[in-house]
């Protein structure tokens, strides 16, 4: 009943030429994929060309970040409406690299999420604990707080366009994937907290992606977990054949 959502996150990789070459190769490889939502979060400079080239395909294009204001003196920032204008239909908010290197907090994640939803974007809100937090036994508390504060003030109606990505920071780009059981455990915590805050129907319908060293070799067992509804993938989403294998995880 929850359509799986496989999404690439290109981070600071790919020029426009590289992005278009990827899309040209990938679109045919995923054209036959059924009952799966397919996205690529890409660098801002590539979004317009990518979104134009992706029109008519089953791949949607999104931003990796946005600001919460509509416009203003915020050098280097991009508003949700600017993403919409160039053809992005979704945006990542609160990725751990944004939290770690660019000072993003649960409070700014909340403001960005609300602003992006108001602009009509689908939002993928990223949460996850660091290695130190996991080792200190704080995983549940950290993730619950990220959900409570990050989603504070949202209404049940907002969840039609909201996805949560659980990405344990220690598993991102490290080759260390959470075991399916570890992912499932935290995904269940997230769904339980969303049920507490927004009610069971909202929680049951919410897609929760796993992210952190997902690759063609492990995607199937991760996707088999009852509370895992998709994947947010960095490294393994940079090559068309690997990306297509993730999308076609059932075969
Ligand atoms: P990874 O990155 O797949 O390279 O671990 C995931 C992410 O950061 O979204």
């Amino acid at each position: 009943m929850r359509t799986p959502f496989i999404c690439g996150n290109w981070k600071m990789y790919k020029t426009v030429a590289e992005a278009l070459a990827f899309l040209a190769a990938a679109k045919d490889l995923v054209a036959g994929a059924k009952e799966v939502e397919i996205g690529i979060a890409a660098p801002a400079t590539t979004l317009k060309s990518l979104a134009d080239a992706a029109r008519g395909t089953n791949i949607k294009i999104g931003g990796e970040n946005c600001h919460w204001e509509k416009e203003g003196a915020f050098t280097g920032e991009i508003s949700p409406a600017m993403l919409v204008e160039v053809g992005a239909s979704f945006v990542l908010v609160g990725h751990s690299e944004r939290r770690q290197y660019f000072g993003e907090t649960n409070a700014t994640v909340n403001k960005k999420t609300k602003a992006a939803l108001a602009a009509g974007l689908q939002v993928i809100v990223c949460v996850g604990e660091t290695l130190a937090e996991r080792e200190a036994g704080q995983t549940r508390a950290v993730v619950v707080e990220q959900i409570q504060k990050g989603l504070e003030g949202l209404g049940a109606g907002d969840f039609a366009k909201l996805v949560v990505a659980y990405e344990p920071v220690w598993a991102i780009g490290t080759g260390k994937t959470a075991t399916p059981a570890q992912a499932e455990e935290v995904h269940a915590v997230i769904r339980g907290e969303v049920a507490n805050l927004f009610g069971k129907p909202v929680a049951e319908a919410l897609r929760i992606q796993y992210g952190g060293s997902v690759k063609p070799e492990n995607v199937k067992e991760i996707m088999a977990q009852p509370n895992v509804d998709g994947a947010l993938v960095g490294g393994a989403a940079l090559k068309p054949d690997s990306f297509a294998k993730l999308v076609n995880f059932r075969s």
Side-chain angles (χ1 to χ4, degrees):
M1 118 205 162
R2 296 188 291 261
T3 305
F5 184 3
I6 305 291
C7 189
N9 169 20
W10 281 354
K11 312 191 179 191
M12 200 171 75
Y13 291 99
K14 295 197 191 293
T15 61
V16 173
E18 289 165 347
L20 290 175
F22 174 101
L23 193 72
K27 68 179 186 207
D28 294 338
L29 300 175
V30 303
K34 297 232 161 38
E35 283 164 55
V36 56
E37 197 171 323
I38 309 168
I40 296 170
T45 49
T46 66
L47 291 176
K48 172 89 174 88
S49 318
L50 266 180
D52 286 347
R55 207 163 291 133
T57 74
N58 56 352
I59 303 173
K60 55 188 195 176
I61 305 300
E64 298 176 6
N65 177 41
C66 65
H67 198 268
W68 57 84
E69 292 289 349
K70 289 197 171 83
E71 60 181 10
F74 302 105
T75 302
E77 292 293 315
I78 293 174
S79 75
M82 290 170 182
L83 291 177
V84 171
E85 186 195 25
V86 294
S89 61
F90 72 95
V91 65
L92 307 184
V93 168
H95 188 278
S96 70
E97 286 149 19
R98 301 290 321 167
R99 294 179 190 254
Q100 195 178 342
Y101 305 127
F102 302 100
E104 209 142 298
T105 64
N106 289 331
T108 58
V109 167
N110 185 247
K111 291 205 269 189
K112 290 178 179 205
T113 299
K114 286 176 176 161
L117 288 170
L121 289 164
Q122 180 186 37
V123 183
I124 300 179
V125 177
C126 307
V127 300
E129 81 288 0
T130 63
L131 183 59
E133 288 163 344
R134 176 162 281 264
E135 286 175 344
Q138 294 167 347
T139 298
R140 176 183 285 259
V142 166
V143 171
V144 163
E145 188 182 10
Q146 288 172 331
I147 290 291
Q148 287 174 346
K149 296 193 171 158
L151 306 185
E152 195 179 314
L154 297 191
D158 291 322
F159 281 80
K161 287 209 147 185
L162 199 108
V163 173
V164 170
Y166 169 58
E167 300 202 301
V169 179
W170 47 271
I172 295 179
T174 57
K176 250 191 188 180
T177 323
T179 64
Q182 281 173 323
E184 172 60 19
E185 187 183 352
V186 181
H187 281 229
V189 166
I190 292 169
R191 200 176 304 286
E193 187 56 28
V194 171
N196 287 339
L197 296 168
F198 301 99
K200 207 158 176 219
V202 165
E204 285 303 315
L206 174 71
R207 268 104 46 92
I208 307 175
Q209 298 171 316
Y210 169 78
S213 298
V214 176
K215 36 190 182 271
E217 299 76 50
N218 61 24
V219 66
K220 204 167 183 164
E221 55 171 358
I222 288 169
M223 289 301 295
Q225 300 304 306
N227 280 296
V228 176
D229 312 305
L232 183 57
V233 188
L238 289 169
K239 295 236 168 71
D241 57 336
S242 169
F243 181 69
K245 283 183 185 147
L246 297 168
V247 168
N248 297 314
F249 66 92
R250 292 187 188 90
S251 48

